[in-house]
Amino acid sequence: MSRAAQGLRAWLLQRFSAVYLALYVVIMPVLMLTRDVSGYAAWRGWFGQPGTGVASALFALALLLHAWVGMRDVLIDYVHRVWLRLSLLSLIALLLLGSLMLVLRALLLAAVASGS
Amino acid sequence: MKFSIYRFDPDKDSKAYMQDYELDDARLNPGMMLLDALLLLKTQDESLSFRRSCQEGVCGSDAMNINGRNGLACITRLSELKQPVAIRPLPGMPVIRDLVVDLEQFYRQYRNATPYLINEDPVPEVERLQSPQQREQLDGLYECILCACCSTACPSFWWNPDKFLGPAALLQSWRFLADSRDQATEQRLSNLEGPFRLFRCHTIMNCVEVCPKGLNPTHAIGRIKELMVKRSL
Amino acid sequence: MEKRSFDTLIIGAGGGGLRAALQLAQAEARVAVVSKVFPTRSHTVAAQGGVNAALANVLPDNWHWHMFDTVKGSDYLGDQDAIEYMCRAAPRAVYELEHFGVPFSRLDTGKIYQRAFGGQSRDFGGDQAVRTCAAADRTGHAILHSLYQQNIRARTHFFDEYFAIELLQNQAGYFLGAVAMNIASGEPLLIEAKTTILATGGVGQLFRTNTNALVNTGDGMAMALRAGIPLQDMEFFQFHPTGVAGKGMLITEGARGEGGYLLNGDGERFMERYAPNAKDLASRDVVSRAIATEVREGRGVGANRDHVLLKLDHLGADIVSKRLPGIRDMVRTFLHIDPADTPIPVYPTAHYTMGGIPTDRHGQVVVPVQQGAEEPVPGLYAVGECACVSVHGANRLGGNSLLDILVFGRAAANHVIEHLKQQRYHQPIPADALEPALQRLARWNRQGKGESIAGLRAQLTKTMEDHCGVFRNEEVLQEGQNAVLALRERLREATIDDHSQVFNTARIEAMELENLMDVALATVSSALARRESRGAHSRIDYPERDDQQWLRHSLFNLDPMKMDYKPVRMQPLTVDSFPPKKRTY
């Protein structure tokens, strides 16, 4: 990774992802109030719609990037032993990627279900 | 008036301790600064060591931690201090003796900020022109006295003093980026890239809080980031 | 003892030392700068008002008018060849600073801002000139930091927080470097050098109330004295008209340059009586005497009628905060008043050492050789306030001290560069050359009870203030000299309790007091000997200037203690001499 990617770009990514996260957590509940999402089927149907699905996938991605930069910052600040920092960074990367996979899988399943 | 002062002389102490001092109120007068009190205490105990020089807040020698807050002893009013006045060396730096800390790390980061004007044009026989508005950009930047109050109050600097430039050096960085006569913008910005030198700043703003000259390093750091973004788009 | 070798050793990292170091480093000489404080903490940092140069950015000007003002300001005691050299070099010195990055204030034209300062005229004594180049009221800070920054760029080698103990010389009188002490470790260090430049600044700490930093203890002057070099014109000590009364912080002459003026207890603008033309911008000696006279005659201000007021409130908050931001800050901090609303209480305060180590205009230290003409001392230079070139003579003009350090810092370095071409190798250091330094260090390891350093220092500064102030006479000076001699004897028996090797400031202060004692003796003895009034030296018993007998430089020798004299160099380099005239403003 270039130094630019680790510095300015990481910092920008954190800011932009934060903006998206903020928008999402404000707009989604509002939208939720305007429709009936009581019950598993309605809930799943709503998330199966392309708009909601893509927005939520982006949300998961933004959350992952935001968390990654944030956790990386914490580790850079506090963990100074290189091998320990590397191991922790790898562990966090795995966890974050795993979580992303799970979210994407759920969204995909919802989309498939509502499409059928 | 009562004081509690950090003492450590590696020549004879195995570890640091706080020593109580008392100054006869008859020797105090209104308007006295903390440095005046320290100088009086030194006449009672000449082994008490601290740096001092100008006594008016321009040389930056007598930075110390006063009741938990970094500041210059020579412009800190005694009457505004809660007793006993707890005086410690600047936090996070290796202590040489008593209130004297080793500032080499701080100076090294200052040098790392390329703190000098770079202009590769042929040297004119008169001054380079600069409008009053361009010159105004340097106000709030060039006045830094390198006292180290800010950097040693910055948690990011405590955590990575060898990699993070710290608020004082970054303020200088912006002082030259903001100078219309300087031509090394690209070089300066690329020097600040990466996760450490600039981006360890988490806008905690302790630097602004303690600066005895009322300068604002956090704002300067923000301006550097702003310029980086502009340049990268 | 650890030994390091350099082409040039510079002692002192103020503006003079750093300007010389930069010139040498750029010429690829190996240069070491020894300073007892981190360079940007040197006292140049406190200079406020500006540096004089006839740039003519605001009003017509030329170096010849500047030269006239400097000669007249010196009360004709300045050497006119050196003054011509300095005034001619001034514009270039300032432009160089601008190129180094000094953030000068600017005019609307984009050129360097210049302000009016005391004792400066156009057309040889005509209307007020505007000649002082300024970075707000922090010019010294701006210059010192820029010079340090350029030295970082040039990779000058710094020994920060090393205290110079003694100069080294061989039997032939050649200077070979110095012994310094690492303050943090207490370890001595031998620094061998083909040339040594003293740039240790002035000795304002001689006086109880002064505008100077605590570090201004005349270390270089005292080392030179002990090495057998006389000190020149030490009786001329400048009292700045506007130190904060009773405290001493400096209020720049620029405050009056921007339009401020002085008021006595009757609310009268009294400078109109003393200097009908220049008024508040007369020379410093004139204004200081006027203030002291007002107070002596009962027209002071305050409960004790012991000071006067500097009025700035008519300038408006905008000018005050734009042109004098540092002054506004400082007055608010120390006096809890805003000078934009309330006049500042001021009184003449010890400020600047006109005298010092005698040098020529190349910065070479010069001494008379057996009644004959003076000759350079091989290997030794001095620049700045510790030196006496002499461009300031009996009274320095405001704005000429920053100029002095720049011009002669550079000139000395250039001369050193030439000298180094001939002096290819270090001369051997004789074993006994280290002896004085080692003795001086060992002396403060002495155990036992003696008088305290702080007590003796307080008595010395009180003595100097009472006996060597703005107005002097034979009796008071004689008492003063006796008192200093007695204090100097008592210092030999003094001891310190702190014998730690680590950052032992008690030991540093003891050695600084030794330096102060020697320079105090030079000052009071030179003042006692000069039976006339000239510039800053005002003798009530000899109120007139006496050019017949006293148009000559004083030289004080320490061992054996005696006064010597040498003629003033009245012949400039290229222009006609300015003969002594009655001095009015």
Side-chain angles (χ1 to χ4, degrees):
Chain A
M1 223 185 325
S2 75
R3 288 204 306 143
Q6 295 179 42
L8 178 65
R9 261 176 251 166
W11 180 76
L12 278 176
L13 212 54
Q14 199 177 30
R15 259 86 205 137
F16 284 127
S17 59
V19 171
Y20 186 79
L21 295 177
L23 288 174
Y24 184 94
V25 299
V26 172
I27 293 170
M28 282 304 274
V30 174
L31 287 178
M32 234 181 274
L33 289 177
T34 63
R35 65 195 69 219
D36 177 27
V37 286
S38 55
Y40 176 74
W43 179 268
R44 180 170 165 157
W46 188 47
F47 275 90
Q49 286 170 19
T52 329
V54 172
S56 301
L58 278 176
F59 175 77
L61 187 68
L63 191 61
L64 171 135
L65 292 172
H66 195 81
W68 167 250
V69 177
M71 292 307 291
R72 191 201 60 151
D73 274 350
V74 172
L75 291 179
I76 287 178
D77 283 346
Y78 291 107
V79 181
H80 288 186
R81 251 178 261 165
V82 174
W83 62 266
L84 185 59
R85 189 195 290 169
L86 255 173
S87 326
L88 287 171
L89 279 171
S90 312
L91 187 67
I92 288 167
L94 278 175
L95 278 173
L96 287 172
L97 280 173
S99 317
L100 181 69
M101 293 302 165
L102 282 177
V103 174
L104 290 179
R105 178 172 167 272
L107 287 169
L108 212 61
L109 286 177
V112 170
S114 70
S116 61
Chain B
M1 189 160 188
K2 288 184 163 58
F3 300 83
S4 171
I5 302 180
Y6 181 100
R7 300 299 311 269
F8 175 63
D9 176 359
D11 238 16
K12 55 187 220 293
D13 302 325
S14 54
K15 66 186 211 314
Y17 58 97
M18 296 299 286
Q19 183 173 343
D20 292 333
Y21 285 94
E22 192 156 359
L23 206 52
D24 189 352
D25 287 338
R27 299 185 76 182
L28 303 176
N29 58 54
M32 227 181 194
M33 300 291 173
L34 176 60
L35 180 62
D36 301 319
L38 286 173
L39 291 170
L40 285 176
L41 288 175
K42 193 167 170 65
T43 65
Q44 296 174 13
D45 174 2
E46 63 184 18
S47 72
L48 176 62
S49 301
F50 50 91
R51 295 187 176 104
R52 82 286 180 277
S53 182
C54 75
Q55 316 166 83
E56 55 183 41
V58 297
C59 79
S61 299
D62 60 351
M64 51 189 73
N65 187 273
I66 306 154
N67 280 345
R69 192 172 182 277
N70 290 353
L72 298 177
C74 60
I75 53 173
T76 300
R77 277 178 178 269
L78 274 184
S79 56
E80 285 161 13
L81 295 174
K82 222 175 71 204
Q83 291 191 50
V85 184
I87 307 174
R88 297 168 193 274
L90 289 174
M93 300 278 104
V95 174
I96 296 175
R97 175 176 173 176
D98 298 348
L99 303 175
V100 179
V101 293
D102 181 354
L103 286 169
E104 183 47 35
Q105 194 71 259
F106 172 78
Y107 296 137
R108 187 172 300 138
Q109 297 299 23
Y110 174 67
R111 295 196 294 270
N112 278 339
T114 342
Y116 42 80
L117 190 83
I118 299 176
N119 182 313
E120 304 295 352
D121 284 345
V123 180
E125 73 280 27
V126 294
E127 70 264 60
R128 297 194 175 99
L129 298 184
Q130 188 173 47
S131 71
Q133 293 73 33
Q134 288 172 326
R135 168 60 182 75
E136 228 165 70
Q137 300 298 311
L138 309 182
D139 286 339
L141 305 172
Y142 82 96
E143 300 94 323
C144 172
I145 58 173
L146 297 179
C147 65
C149 280
C150 59
S151 291
T152 60
C154 172
S156 291
F157 192 74
W158 299 337
W159 297 324
N160 285 294
D162 52 337
K163 299 199 186 79
F164 175 47
L165 290 192
L170 289 168
L171 185 85
Q172 286 310 300
S173 231
W174 179 244
R175 178 248 173 276
F176 288 100
L177 283 164
D179 195 321
S180 61
R181 301 168 294 174
D182 190 86
Q183 296 176 328
T185 305
E186 290 305 327
Q187 178 192 328
R188 292 180 190 284
L189 291 181
S190 97
N191 180 38
L192 294 175
E193 260 301 357
F196 286 106
R197 289 195 149 188
L198 169 70
F199 287 98
R200 280 309 83 210
C201 169
H202 304 314
T203 50
I204 300 166
M205 296 184 69
N206 280 3
C207 52
V208 185
E209 164 74 19
V210 300
C211 177
K213 305 306 283 183
L215 311 180
N216 190 334
T218 306
H219 182 248
I221 292 169
R223 299 292 303 273
I224 297 176
K225 288 175 179 167
E226 209 176 284
L227 184 64
M228 273 186 170
V229 172
K230 269 191 208 149
R231 286 269 169 164
S232 67
L233 292 180
Chain C
M1 195 186 304
E2 194 193 339
K3 181 170 117 178
R4 303 284 297 268
S5 284
F6 293 88
D7 290 333
T8 303
L9 164 65
I10 298 175
I11 304 177
L18 291 185
R19 184 64 192 84
L22 181 59
Q23 194 78 357
L24 284 156
Q26 286 174 342
E28 294 186 357
R30 289 175 308 140
V31 49
V33 181
V34 164
S35 172
K36 63 179 176 177
V37 293
F38 181 74
T40 64
R41 323 229 183 270
S42 308
H43 193 53
T44 302
V45 82
Q48 298 173 353
V51 46
N52 293 338
L55 306 184
N57 283 355
V58 178
L59 289 175
D61 204 356
N62 73 55
W63 67 265
H64 203 183
W65 302 346
H66 182 190
M67 178 184 172
F68 169 80
D69 292 337
T70 304
V71 172
K72 179 181 169 188
S74 80
D75 220 346
Y76 298 91
L77 194 74
D79 287 340
Q80 296 194 15
D81 55 344
I83 295 176
E84 177 179 344
Y85 178 81
M86 178 177 81
C87 295
R88 275 179 177 275
R92 180 166 173 190
V94 170
Y95 292 141
E96 271 176 353
L97 284 183
E98 196 281 329
H99 301 153
F100 293 157
V102 172
F104 282 109
S105 300
R106 298 289 172 148
L107 298 160
D108 287 334
T109 55
K111 293 181 175 179
I112 293 171
Y113 173 77
Q114 295 187 285
R115 62 162 55 110
F117 241 54
Q120 298 179 2
S121 69
R122 279 178 285 150
D123 208 12
F124 310 105
D127 290 340
Q128 177 71 41
V130 180
R131 186 177 292 147
T132 306
C133 310
D137 58 356
R138 303 188 181 97
T139 316
H141 172 281
I143 290 175
L144 186 68
H145 279 252
S146 295
L147 285 174
Y148 180 60
Q149 292 163 349
Q150 289 296 328
N151 272 287
I152 291 178
R153 187 181 199 180
R155 294 176 202 279
T156 303
H157 196 102
F158 284 96
F159 290 93
D160 295 334
E161 296 186 327
Y162 278 69
F163 184 81
I165 307 288
E166 217 69 274
L167 299 170
L168 299 175
Q169 58 181 319
N170 64 16
Q171 286 296 324
Y174 201 104
F175 279 82
L176 309 167
V179 174
M181 182 180 75
N182 179 345
I183 298 175
S185 70
E187 291 294 321
L189 173 70
L190 167 58
I191 301 181
E192 179 184 48
K194 298 171 200 166
T195 49
T196 304
I197 302 179
L198 293 168
T200 53
V203 64
Q205 288 302 325
L206 281 184
F207 297 88
R208 190 174 58 161
T209 308
N210 63 70
T211 65
N212 280 208
L214 287 165
V215 294
N216 291 13
T217 51
D219 303 337
M221 294 178 188
M223 280 191 293
L225 265 183
R226 290 192 297 265
I229 312 276
L231 291 185
Q232 180 177 327
D233 295 341
M234 290 303 290
E235 62 272 40
F236 300 104
F237 204 96
Q238 181 165 76
F239 289 79
H240 195 289
T242 56
V244 171
K247 294 177 185 264
M249 295 85 189
L250 174 67
I251 307 291
T252 175
E253 194 163 293
R256 281 169 284 139
E258 296 291 344
Y261 54 84
L262 297 163
L263 294 175
N264 65 16
D266 304 333
E268 180 204 1
R269 191 174 174 184
F270 58 90
M271 277 313 298
E272 290 175 339
R273 270 188 279 123
Y274 295 87
N277 295 317
K279 301 189 180 107
D280 298 85
L281 285 176
S283 247
R284 287 181 178 172
D285 57 333
V286 176
V287 182
S288 285
R289 262 193 302 276
I291 297 173
T293 305
E294 290 298 299
V295 167
R296 273 157 58 115
E297 293 177 358
R299 290 188 296 278
V301 182
N304 303 321
R305 298 189 159 272
D306 57 358
H307 60 267
V308 298
L309 294 176
L310 173 62
K311 182 174 152 65
L312 299 177
D313 51 73
H314 58 288
L315 299 176
D318 198 42
I319 291 283
V320 174
S321 55
K322 198 157 172 194
R323 298 296 181 206
L324 305 164
I327 291 301
R328 193 176 192 187
D329 267 3
M330 197 232 294
V331 171
R332 279 171 158 171
T333 306
F334 286 96
L335 297 177
H336 265 210
I337 57 172
D338 183 349
D341 304 326
T342 314
I344 311 168
V346 294
Y347 194 73
T349 306
H351 181 58
Y352 186 86
T353 323
M354 263 80 72
I357 305 158
T359 73
D360 61 17
R361 66 173 193 278
H362 308 295
Q364 293 191 98
V365 175
V366 287
V367 292
V369 182
Q370 271 117 34
Q371 312 302 320
E374 55 186 16
E375 276 183 13
V377 176
L380 189 64
Y381 293 73
V383 300
E385 193 173 340
C386 76
C388 183
V389 184
S390 135
V391 284
H392 307 308
N395 169 65
R396 173 175 73 78
L397 291 189
N400 268 357
S401 59
L402 286 176
L403 181 59
D404 173 7
I405 62 179
L406 297 169
V407 168
F408 293 104
R410 187 175 184 281
N414 282 338
H415 200 274
V416 166
I417 291 165
E418 288 308 308
H419 178 82
L420 287 174
K421 287 180 188 157
Q422 284 134 41
Q423 191 71 35
R424 299 284 299 275
Y425 306 104
H426 288 95
Q427 302 198 23
I429 296 176
D432 60 350
L434 299 177
E435 209 39 49
L438 294 176
Q439 272 178 17
R440 196 163 177 234
L441 265 177
R443 183 251 173 276
W444 292 105
N445 291 332
R446 200 187 299 162
Q447 308 274 344
K449 265 280 154 235
E451 273 189 276
S452 83
I453 297 302
L456 285 169
R457 183 160 168 169
Q459 288 180 55
L460 176 70
T461 57
K462 179 83 168 64
T463 301
M464 289 301 286
E465 189 154 294
D466 292 347
H467 295 270
C468 213
V470 175
F471 291 109
R472 305 162 171 182
N473 70 43
E474 188 85 15
E475 189 192 344
V476 168
L477 283 167
Q478 186 61 62
E479 282 171 18
Q481 189 192 40
N482 294 343
V484 171
L485 281 168
L487 284 168
R488 208 160 156 268
E489 279 310 309
R490 282 159 61 188
L491 179 59
R492 290 184 211 283
E493 302 307 318
T495 52
I496 53 175
D497 298 330
D498 185 354
H499 297 285
S500 167
Q501 283 300 305
V502 180
F503 219 98
N504 186 335
T505 48
R507 178 162 58 180
I508 298 294
E509 285 176 21
M511 289 192 284
E512 285 176 337
L513 184 60
E514 289 176 320
N515 292 339
L516 281 171
M517 286 289 181
D518 290 346
V519 182
L521 190 57
T523 304
V524 72
S525 304
S526 305
L528 176 62
R530 185 175 284 270
R531 292 178 165 168
E532 65 156 352
S533 290
R534 182 186 296 273
H537 178 65
S538 303
R539 291 279 302 247
I540 296 168
D541 42 356
Y542 301 94
E544 296 302 317
R545 191 175 82 195
D546 177 1
D547 291 328
Q548 284 296 317
Q549 281 215 50
W550 288 103
L551 187 57
R552 52 182 185 162
H553 296 296
S554 319
L555 293 170
F556 170 85
N557 291 277
L558 183 65
D559 192 19
M561 199 175 102
K562 70 172 173 58
M563 294 305 302
D564 201 353
Y565 295 92
K566 69 176 186 183
V568 177
R569 298 166 74 94
M570 300 299 288
Q571 191 54 51
L573 298 172
T574 65
V575 292
D576 289 340
S577 176
F578 291 110
K581 280 202 292 202
K582 191 164 166 50
R583 191 162 156 260
T584 54
Y585 282 98

